[in-house]
Amino acid sequence: MSAQSDFLSGMLGFRLALEHEDIVDNAPSDRDHNLRAKTFRNGIAILGFAVLEHFIRRRTGEILDSFHRVCIPFDDLPDRLKKAATRGALQGILKREKYSADGIKFLQEESAIVASSNSTSFALSRYSLGFEGSNLTDEETLSILKTFGVKDAWNLITSLSSRLDMAIPNAKTSFINATLRRHDAAHNVNASVNPSDLQAFVRESYALAVGFDVLITSAFDKMLCGDKAHLTGNSTITDADLRIRRILKRPDGKWAEYDLKRSNAVRVGKSGTDLWPGARARAIKHKELLVSFSTDGYPEKWDFPFTVV
């Protein structure tokens, strides 16, 4: 399964859990129910962050796995990426080795990938980024995107969330609050996560996941195309680079395709599935992210058809 499919499945489970009546407190006198509800909410908070964390790490790994398609020498990659793919990879590999069924084989295979950076045809280890600690932090998430040449990432994700009609006030704050809830729920026996915070995290998690994916994939595409300005750090990803095409269900019950250049629908159809092939062809032509929303307003799939990841 892909990073995206894992994320969508995990978030569906998270949302279904939030619908259960047992997570809401009853009257103060119903102590057993309220204790159970608190325990459920704390567990759900841990799960919610784990779904987002897994997506960021897995998607970063998918991008790193795709570098064998980049037709430029390893030495021409940005310095931050070269350091991550060597020193950072070795550190990440050592930390993940204990989770492998055959530690020696795992180390041999992954160290060979790191060593390939010294050859014409190279690959990058999926453990190069995102594995500094047991849990992903806001600093490490930002560092991943900086390594790919993305500056001002949190503000870009915040802006993108509004353009996708999933507006969150501050992407960095949303991520930090999720990490704090996760940590408190996991390590404080008296923790009691607020149900409203969990409800808010649904929108936040989709916005953070799609935003992160758009930025890292757009940056990779520039490297894939051999964009010298991006490779040398003389340019970065801006709002203008993040072009979007959406498929969603309108209030009148019809499904419609929209780009960001016009308020009227580009196409109208019976379902999002019917509209997807034509919208995908137009997204390829205009180098756009294509997002299809479900009837509840959350992304059900997204694609970057203009690149090879």
Side-chain angles (χ1 to χ4, degrees), residues 8 15 160-167 203 206-207 210 244-250 254-258 260 271-273 275-276 289-302:
L8 293 173
R15 289 160 53 195
L160 185 65
S161 73
S162 295
R163 295 165 62 193
L164 288 169
D165 290 331
M166 298 190 298
R203 174 183 289 261
Y206 281 103
V210 176
I244 306 166
R245 188 170 294 269
R246 299 178 297 155
I247 296 174
L248 50 84
K249 191 173 185 179
R250 303 191 309 196
K254 295 179 180 180
W255 287 83
E257 171 194 341
Y258 294 91
L260 293 185
S271 70
T273 302
L275 290 172
W276 182 267
L289 160 69
L290 176 59
V291 188
S292 181
F293 289 82
S294 61
T295 54
D296 56 17
Y298 295 112
E300 61 180 4
K301 64 178 176 178
W302 63 90

Side-chain angles (χ1 to χ4, degrees), residues 57 60-68 74 81 84-94 96 106-107 109-117 122-131 148:
R57 283 175 165 168
T60 302
E62 289 174 348
I63 296 289
L64 291 167
D65 283 344
S66 299
F67 263 87
H68 66 278
F74 179 84
L81 184 54
T86 49
R87 185 183 298 115
L90 292 175
Q91 293 171 347
I93 290 165
L94 288 172
R96 300 307 296 178
F106 173 80
L107 291 173
E109 291 176 346
E110 291 300 325
S111 60
I113 294 174
V114 177
S116 74
S117 64
F122 67 89
L124 302 186
S125 170
R126 59 172 43 238
Y127 302 105
S128 300
L129 292 161
F131 293 94
F148 280 86

Side-chain angles (χ1 to χ4, degrees), residues 198-220:
L198 296 176
Q199 293 289 351
F201 182 67
V202 174
R203 174 183 289 261
E204 292 170 344
S205 63
Y206 281 103
L208 290 166
V210 176
F212 178 89
D213 200 356
V214 171
L215 293 180
I216 197 170
T217 304
S218 298
F220 170 75

Side-chain angles (χ1 to χ4, degrees), residues 3-181:
Q4 183 182 140
S5 61
D6 281 349
F7 173 79
L8 293 173
S9 176
M11 284 309 300
L12 177 58
F14 181 83
R15 289 160 53 195
L16 290 172
L18 293 184
E19 294 175 2
H20 203 285
E21 61 185 11
D22 280 349
I23 73 164
V24 181
D25 286 349
N26 286 342
S29 59
D30 196 348
R31 294 180 180 178
D32 286 352
H33 171 88
N34 293 344
L35 180 60
R36 181 170 61 245
K38 182 185 79 168
T39 303
F40 286 164
R41 291 196 303 272
N42 290 348
I44 292 169
I46 295 170
L47 170 67
F49 181 74
V51 170
L52 178 61
E53 177 184 59
H54 175 78
F55 172 78
I56 292 173
R57 283 175 165 168
R58 182 84 184 273
R59 183 55 178 161
T60 302
E62 289 174 348
I63 296 289
L64 291 167
D65 283 344
S66 299
F67 263 87
H68 66 278
R69 299 187 176 99
V70 177
C71 297
I72 58 173
F74 179 84
D75 287 344
D76 289 347
L77 294 178
D79 287 342
R80 287 180 67 109
L81 184 54
K82 287 188 289 187
K83 290 178 182 178
T86 49
R87 185 183 298 115
L90 292 175
Q91 293 171 347
I93 290 165
L94 288 172
K95 289 183 177 179
R96 300 307 296 178
E97 180 266 337
K98 62 183 177 181
Y99 300 108
S100 173
D102 187 337
I104 292 177
K105 184 177 181 180
F106 173 80
L107 291 173
Q108 289 173 329
E109 291 176 346
E110 291 300 325
S111 60
I113 294 174
V114 177
S116 74
S117 64
N118 199 34
S119 63
T120 303
S121 178
F122 67 89
L124 302 186
S125 170
R126 59 172 43 238
Y127 302 105
S128 300
L129 292 161
F131 293 94
E132 291 181 8
S134 299
N135 295 111
L136 201 60
T137 65
D138 62 298
E139 292 92 347
E140 190 173 5
T141 302
L142 185 65
S143 179
I144 292 171
L145 293 172
K146 281 185 176 179
T147 299
F148 280 86
V150 180
K151 302 173 184 177
D152 200 28
W154 291 123
N155 285 332
L156 285 171
I157 293 174
T158 301
S159 173
L160 185 65
S161 73
S162 295
R163 295 165 62 193
L164 288 169
D165 290 331
M166 298 190 298
I168 55 177
N170 187 294
K172 181 179 180 180
T173 300
S174 293
F175 190 92
I176 291 174
N177 286 342
T179 64
L180 294 175
R181 278 194 304 273

